[in-house]
Amino acid sequence: MASQVMTNLDPKSRAAAKGLSDLTIRNLFIIPTIAFLIIFNIFPLLYSLAYSFTDFRASTNAPAQFVGLQNYRELLSDPFIWKNFSITAKYVLISVAGQVIVGFGLAMLLNRSIPAKGLITTLLLLPMMLSMAVVGLFWKLLYDPNFGIINYIFGLDKFEWLADPDMALYAIAIVDIWMWAPFVMLLSLAGLSAVPKHLYEAAEIDRASGFYTFFRITLPLVAPILMIAIIFRTMEAFKTFDLAYVLSSQPTTELIAIRLYKMAFQEWQTGMSSALAYIVLIMVVAITNIYVKYLNKVKAR
Amino acid sequence: MAGVRTPQEKWTNRVAIVAVFVAVAIMLTPIYWIAATSFKPRNLATTIPPTVVFQPTVSPFVKLFTKRSQLRDQPSAEEYAAAPWWEQMVFDGGEKVVRNGKTGEVRSSGYGDRFTNSLIISIVSTILAVSMGTLTAYGFSRFKVKGEDDWLFFILSTRMLPPVVVAIPMFLMYRVVGLNDTHLGLIILYTAFNLSFSVWIMKGFIDEIPREYEEAALVDGYTRMQAFFKVVLPEALTGMAATAVFCFITAWNEYAFALIMTNRNAQTAPPYIPSQVGSGLPDWTVIASGTLLFLIPVAIFTFLLRNHLLRGMSFGAIRK
């Protein structure tokens, strides 16, 4: 559409003849970025694909030996890796569900005339602007069984949030919910404000219950944008590293990204960890695809 | 929503307002607690019941920037009197500031340098990502590009990878070319990381600038470049500012790459602050003061650009 208008300009006019041609400008503007992204994203990926078929260890200078699919076979039959994946799945489920409930709830509350709404919204956004690693670390103090304020406020005495292997994953998820519910809230608010007012007025005239209005009008119309929030948060939660890494070192909180980090940069199993990286990558792409398909379905309705 | 009319609606509205204030209080308590702890003397940071009223002190900030050690012997009265106020403060906390034996200069902790590194790396990579992103977005917005949607998807997909996945090959590549633990190394990484976002957000903004503006300029005898710089760019400035906030926040807070790719020279604050916890009893007041200082740039940015955040964040998902 754009270029149509552009080509309508006489290409031989003086204005167009001066200076660089549109084609040159387009290439000048686009090619550096594409090249940059290929060099720093695609090339490293191919590099690690090659390493994933070797027994290379970056800590030694021994040349890499080609081992074929052995790394992949070993990883896929390792019960500990599957344990890491199931911990990750559990974590993603808890934290994304929590964020959707809290975030959408907040948006529903805020979607009315509330004093100082702008200020409140900005304040609520603060947690997600902060560094997960740095703030996560501080939550260690808040969770402390001896002098943390959380136990004090809720009267939990010496409850062990992070040392209890069953509780630690929930404790991390709570921090994640605290940080990212505002993101869901922000997108939901945008979705809610786009719902046409006349639908509510019509529902009111029909004396529809609040319940009915919510499930038949609000939710379906907000669903696509809520879905986008869920996609983003699922992908991010799947990748979680810093938060869990600074908060806990329990085996029950070893998310797949942490396992990958340890394998690559503590055990220096470079070849093996490259293979695991590929498995993770394929999973992320698969999950994203499922989500996007579902999103399109929701949108089409 | 429809205006408040019936008494019942009035009542639910009041409940909602109270609920919102409770939610804000809950969300902000951890941040308030960071701020409060960073002004406490060390012995009040870990009391039960928690200390809410206290005499604020800046000694955690002094400790944050200086190297210090446990006080073995009490300083003599003269020594104490001769010390500047901030050093006395550290004495009061049972510690002393470490000075260089020969020159008597105060030794600094790593925090100041890490903070500066964070600033340099975040600012430079933000400028790079936003300027490259704006040009590319303009290219995609105004010219015909073969397979445009595929290219745009490719650009976005570079953002989907877990950082740890990319970190392994990047680490190996950087080791070969000598970019490990350099500012340039992290700047390049963060630029690559933010570029995809930048292109997507800017495309949304530039698409909304009417093409007629440039056409008019072209008719007036501007070259395409002049039209871009003199007509389109000023219109795109708010979008660029919003994009800059996102890029800055991402680069400022990034942890995994900084942890893996740096150790002394170019380390940023996010990996540094957790590394100070160590195995002993951490001084939470110092950690809190380091955290609070680290939050300030982001909080300011968020506040200044609160009105643009929404549009930027939902890039393309919401049409006005």
Side-chain angles (χ1 to χ4, degrees):
Chain A
M1 195 173 66
S3 31
Q4 238 173 25
V5 180
M6 290 306 162
T7 43
N8 283 347
L9 284 169
D10 178 6
K12 293 208 173 66
S13 76
R14 276 186 306 141
K18 269 197 302 181
L20 302 167
S21 76
D22 282 2
L23 191 70
T24 316
I25 291 173
R26 186 196 76 184
N27 292 342
L28 212 61
F29 281 9
I30 293 179
I31 292 176
T33 293
I34 304 269
F36 191 78
L37 288 174
I38 289 176
I39 294 170
F40 289 99
N41 281 293
I42 304 304
F43 184 66
L45 280 181
L46 295 176
Y47 202 78
S48 68
L49 181 65
Y51 271 123
S52 74
F53 299 114
T54 69
D55 64 354
F56 183 64
R57 301 173 79 94
S59 53
T60 64
N61 280 324
Q65 290 282 326
F66 181 79
V67 295
L69 287 172
Q70 195 195 318
N71 287 335
Y72 289 92
R73 234 182 331 217
E74 228 169 277
L75 285 168
L76 291 173
S77 59
D78 183 348
F80 292 107
I81 295 291
W82 288 108
K83 183 98 185 109
N84 296 134
F85 274 117
S86 73
I87 291 170
T88 311
K90 190 173 161 192
Y91 173 77
V92 171
L93 217 65
I94 301 166
S95 67
V96 176
Q99 283 152 26
V100 170
I101 294 167
V102 176
F104 192 70
L106 281 173
M108 287 292 285
L109 288 176
L110 274 175
N111 190 37
R112 55 182 77 224
S113 46
I114 288 217
K117 193 165 154 182
L119 178 71
I120 288 174
T121 316
T122 315
L123 286 175
L124 284 174
L125 292 185
L126 261 180
M128 65 180 252
M129 303 294 161
L130 311 178
S131 168
M132 284 181 120
V134 176
V135 179
L137 171 71
F138 201 84
W139 273 78
K140 250 187 159 160
L141 173 67
L142 304 182
Y143 274 140
D144 194 284
N146 295 313
F147 40 75
I149 55 166
I150 292 181
N151 281 2
Y152 181 77
I153 292 173
F154 294 103
L156 292 171
D157 198 33
K158 299 261 148 136
F159 186 75
E160 297 272 3
W161 288 91
L162 295 165
D164 181 334
D166 297 323
M167 198 57 216
L169 193 68
Y170 294 98
I172 298 168
I174 290 173
V175 185
D176 200 46
I177 293 168
W178 174 75
M179 284 195 87
W180 293 101
F183 175 78
V184 181
M185 176 196 82
L186 195 60
L187 289 191
S188 309
L189 262 180
L192 286 172
S193 65
V195 177
K197 306 258 176 306
H198 67 85
L199 289 180
Y200 289 120
E201 280 152 22
E204 210 169 310
I205 292 163
D206 292 345
R207 299 211 167 275
S209 69
F211 191 78
Y212 183 90
T213 319
F214 178 78
F215 282 98
R216 285 301 164 88
I217 299 175
T218 311
L219 204 54
L221 284 168
V222 182
I225 196 155
L226 199 57
M227 204 51 217
I228 289 173
I230 293 172
I231 293 178
F232 268 94
R233 285 316 309 152
T234 306
M235 282 172 54
E236 293 293 322
F238 194 84
K239 300 193 269 184
T240 302
F241 171 74
D242 22 15
L243 195 61
Y245 189 71
V246 297
L247 269 175
S248 161
S249 49
Q250 299 274 346
T252 49
T253 61
E254 197 177 79
L255 300 170
I256 193 66
I258 295 178
R259 176 84 217 111
L260 190 51
Y261 169 77
K262 285 186 179 164
M263 205 184 254
F265 297 103
Q266 288 177 359
E267 297 159 18
W268 292 106
Q269 302 191 19
T270 315
M272 185 74 94
S273 57
S274 298
L276 180 57
Y278 257 85
I279 296 174
V280 172
L281 185 62
I282 290 165
M283 285 195 173
V284 173
V285 173
I287 294 171
T288 316
N289 268 324
I290 294 170
Y291 266 132
V292 170
K293 275 214 181 94
Y294 189 73
L295 174 69
N296 289 337
K297 238 194 216 161
V298 171
K299 266 188 175 164
R301 259 205 310 229
Chain B
M1 271 201 179
V4 178
R5 270 166 247 142
T6 64
Q8 197 216 337
E9 274 175 44
K10 235 181 205 164
W11 192 80
T12 44
N13 216 35
R14 267 185 214 144
V15 172
I17 290 173
V18 172
V20 165
F21 280 99
V22 171
V24 171
I26 293 172
M27 296 296 272
L28 293 187
T29 302
I31 297 171
Y32 163 75
W33 204 245
I34 293 173
T37 308
S38 66
F39 288 105
K40 278 180 186 174
R42 184 172 182 176
N43 59 340
L44 293 185
T46 54
T47 54
I48 279 296
T51 314
V52 179
V53 183
F54 57 93
Q55 179 85 39
T57 166
V58 292
S59 92
F61 291 91
V62 176
K63 289 193 206 168
L64 176 68
F65 284 101
T66 52
K67 201 177 162 99
R68 62 224 140 71
S69 66
Q70 213 65 41
L71 203 55
R72 293 249 165 67
D73 316 294
Q74 280 302 313
S76 63
E78 299 91 56
E79 218 182 323
Y80 190 89
W85 62 270
W86 48 270
E87 215 172 326
Q88 292 177 351
M89 229 170 210
V90 180
F91 277 139
D92 293 340
E95 284 176 303
K96 64 174 184 190
V97 173
V98 176
R99 285 176 179 273
N100 193 317
K102 277 187 195 142
T103 59
E105 261 176 64
V106 174
R107 291 224 185 137
S108 64
S109 72
Y111 189 77
D113 295 337
R114 305 301 188 272
F115 197 85
T116 320
N117 284 344
S118 276
L119 276 177
I120 296 171
I121 291 167
S122 310
I123 292 175
V124 175
S125 71
T126 299
I127 293 172
L128 282 174
V130 174
S131 43
M132 285 175 81
T134 306
L135 295 183
T136 308
Y138 181 79
F140 277 113
S141 177
R142 295 297 198 257
F143 304 116
K144 228 179 217 154
V145 180
K146 227 180 176 180
E148 178 177 325
D149 289 343
D150 294 334
W151 282 116
L152 284 172
F153 182 77
F154 160 73
I155 289 174
L156 186 67
S157 71
T158 59
R159 187 66 184 248
M160 290 180 190
L161 314 172
V164 185
V165 171
V166 192
I168 302 168
M170 285 310 288
F171 177 81
L172 297 174
M173 271 173 66
Y174 269 25
R175 216 169 55 164
V176 174
V177 294
L179 277 173
N180 265 340
D181 203 17
T182 60
H183 292 77
L184 181 65
L186 273 194
I187 289 172
I188 292 175
L189 266 177
Y190 292 170
T191 307
F193 205 59
N194 274 330
L195 200 47
S196 58
F197 236 171
S198 173
V199 172
W200 272 73
I201 300 177
M202 282 316 296
K203 185 162 182 301
F205 278 101
I206 292 178
D207 278 345
E208 280 173 25
I209 302 171
R211 292 157 205 289
E212 289 78 20
Y213 290 7
E214 294 142 86
E215 279 152 30
L218 290 177
V219 170
D220 285 350
Y222 278 42
T223 63
R224 169 69 78 165
M225 273 298 205
Q226 286 169 328
F228 172 70
F229 281 106
K230 294 191 179 151
V231 179
V232 180
L233 218 49
E235 293 285 321
L237 270 181
T238 45
M240 291 172 76
T243 312
V245 183
F246 283 107
C247 296
F248 181 83
I249 288 173
T250 317
W252 185 249
N253 289 333
E254 205 284 329
Y255 175 77
F257 279 120
L259 178 73
I260 292 163
M261 304 292 190
T262 65
N263 46 60
R264 285 184 62 100
N265 177 43
Q267 196 176 64
T268 55
Y272 174 79
I273 298 176
S275 73
Q276 297 308 296
V277 175
S279 49
L281 271 181
D283 188 340
W284 286 104
T285 63
V286 176
I287 291 165
S289 62
T291 308
L292 183 69
L293 279 188
F294 193 68
L295 304 185
I296 288 172
V298 171
I300 293 174
F301 253 151
T302 312
F303 184 73
L304 289 180
L305 285 136
R306 59 195 179 282
N307 295 328
H308 302 293
L309 286 177
L310 182 63
R311 276 185 62 207
M313 189 161 294
S314 54
F315 51 110
I318 309 163
R319 290 263 164 253
K320 272 197 306 183

